[in-house]
Amino acid sequence: MKLTADYHTHTRYSHGSGTVFDNAAAADKLGLKEIAITDHGFNHPAFGLKKRKMPHLLSDVAAANEKYNVKVLTGIESNIVSESGKTDLSPEKYDDFDIFLTGFHKFVLSGVKDIFNLFLPNYLRHGLKIKPSEELVKRTTKTYINVIKNNPLDAVTHVNFCVFADALEVAKCAADYGTYIELNAKKTHLTDEELADIAAKTSVRFIIGSDAHSPSRVGEISLVESLLERVSIDKDRIDNIDGRLPDFRFRRFKEKGEK
């Protein structure tokens, strides 16, 4: 199994240690066809991409495309901000981006109701290792589903990392809408049992993301390689390996108005 493209990398524009050029150089050295710079979304006060920095990010991506033999894409790992399915990438900003990822992250700016009904209950129970209530699992699952339905997402990142949802139902919805489920190579998120269930009972497709926060981790997927030794997934369902490139929903949406 050989990675074709890495669509989940971070830079100094959010929570990474390297530059756009550093990540692009690492991808070029590995022989990747594409790399996406997917810094954290705008609503993260500590680690989020700053809107005022967007012109600089776009300029860096354009320059990196000229300098390296790898296609560099402007992406975002947006933050889920509400149970209704909102992220912090609003439609008026779509033209600035090529890749649209989203996931749950701690300390994101949100409404008071969502903070107390969704975010705090998940993060506190995860941190204290307390079993979630059925109601919390239903609420978190509904949030993922609303996010997939209401946004032209390319992929949902690290499903169930620090939160509690029915991963099978999330994957079913992702399959229906043409959104990928990410296999994250930085952190363990889905259990082996959850992933086996998803593979057996849905038609959802996958991408592998390094979630690199440093240039040295661009293209690093050993955690996922180990996972795939334990869990049987047809590698033909992973669309950014062995020369394949994904059919991304966000691009289709922008080109044809599809959702």
Side-chain angles (χ1 to χ4, degrees), residues 7 36 38 73-76 89 97-101 154 248 250:
Y7 297 107
T38 51
L73 301 167
T74 306
I76 190 168
L89 180 61
F97 295 95
D98 305 305
I99 301 292
F100 187 1
L101 312 180
D154 290 324
F248 275 138
F250 190 48

Side-chain angles (χ1 to χ4, degrees), residues 16-34:
S17 63
T19 66
V20 172
F21 299 97
D22 294 333
N23 285 16
D28 190 10
K29 186 175 180 179
L30 290 171
L32 299 185
K33 291 183 179 180
E34 295 184 342

Side-chain angles (χ1 to χ4, degrees), residues 172-203:
K172 287 178 180 177
C173 182
D176 288 343
Y177 282 81
T179 290
Y180 286 91
I181 295 294
E182 181 200 50
L183 302 175
N184 189 285
K186 181 173 182 282
K187 54 192 67 135
T188 299
H189 53 112
L190 293 170
T191 67
D192 289 5
E193 292 75 17
E194 285 174 322
L195 187 55
D197 213 26
I198 287 169
K201 297 178 181 179
T202 80
S203 62

Side-chain angles (χ1 to χ4, degrees), residues 3 22 149 163 183 229 259:
L3 195 69
D22 294 333
K149 286 182 176 180
V163 300
L183 302 175
E229 290 176 359
K259 191 169 184 180

Side-chain angles (χ1 to χ4, degrees), residues 36-54:
I37 307 300
T38 51
D39 281 302
H40 292 292
F42 304 112
N43 275 38
H44 200 298
F47 302 130
L49 174 64
K50 307 302 182 187
K51 291 180 180 178
R52 68 178 184 275
K53 295 288 188 178
M54 278 304 304

Side-chain angles (χ1 to χ4, degrees), residues 97-116:
F97 295 95
D98 305 305
I99 301 292
F100 187 1
L101 312 180
T102 200
F104 273 100
H105 299 94
K106 295 179 181 178
F107 311 120
V108 170
L109 299 176
S110 185
V112 173
K113 182 179 178 181
D114 287 300
I115 289 172
F116 284 98

Side-chain angles (χ1 to χ4, degrees), residues 65-250:
N65 271 299
E66 292 294 325
K67 186 173 183 179
Y68 300 104
N69 294 316
V70 59
K71 186 173 184 179
V72 186
L73 301 167
T74 306
I76 190 168
E77 187 188 13
S78 65
N79 299 295
I80 295 171
V81 298
S82 76
E83 185 180 343
S84 65
K86 289 184 179 179
T87 79
D88 55 2
L89 180 61
S90 54
E92 61 267 21
K93 293 289 185 182
Y94 284 178
D95 286 347
D96 287 337
F97 295 95
D98 305 305
I99 301 292
F100 187 1
L101 312 180
T102 200
F104 273 100
H105 299 94
K106 295 179 181 178
F107 311 120
V108 170
L109 299 176
S110 185
V112 173
K113 182 179 178 181
D114 287 300
I115 289 172
F116 284 98
N117 288 346
L118 179 65
F119 296 104
L120 279 180
N122 268 294
Y123 298 139
L124 285 174
R125 281 165 174 76
H126 177 268
L128 297 172
K129 301 186 186 305
I130 298 172
K131 184 178 179 180
S133 65
E134 289 185 10
E135 179 58 34
L136 180 59
V137 173
K138 288 179 181 178
R139 186 177 298 124
T140 310
T141 304
K142 179 182 177 183
T143 300
Y144 272 123
I145 288 172
N146 285 339
V147 168
I148 293 167
K149 286 182 176 180
N150 296 334
N151 301 273
L153 292 175
D154 290 324
V156 183
T157 60
H158 46 68
V159 173
N160 274 2
F161 181 68
C162 296
V163 300
F164 303 92
D166 185 331
L168 180 61
E169 292 303 313
V170 175
K172 287 178 180 177
C173 182
D176 288 343
Y177 282 81
T179 290
Y180 286 91
I181 295 294
E182 181 200 50
L183 302 175
N184 189 285
K186 181 173 182 282
K187 54 192 67 135
T188 299
H189 53 112
L190 293 170
T191 67
D192 289 5
E193 292 75 17
E194 285 174 322
L195 187 55
D197 213 26
I198 287 169
K201 297 178 181 179
T202 80
S203 62
V204 75
R205 302 190 70 80
F206 303 94
I207 58 170
I208 301 173
S210 72
D211 197 358
H213 283 60
S214 64
S216 64
R217 286 205 73 259
V218 169
E220 165 54 46
I221 61 168
S222 58
L223 185 67
V224 174
E225 290 175 325
S226 297
L227 174 68
L228 296 176
E229 290 176 359
R230 303 189 305 271
V231 180
S232 178
I233 296 178
D234 184 348
K235 291 185 175 60
D236 286 342
R237 291 174 65 178
I238 304 173
D239 281 351
N240 64 328
I241 61 171
D242 300 336
R244 294 190 297 278
L245 295 174
D247 179 21
F248 275 138
R249 179 181 174 191
F250 190 48

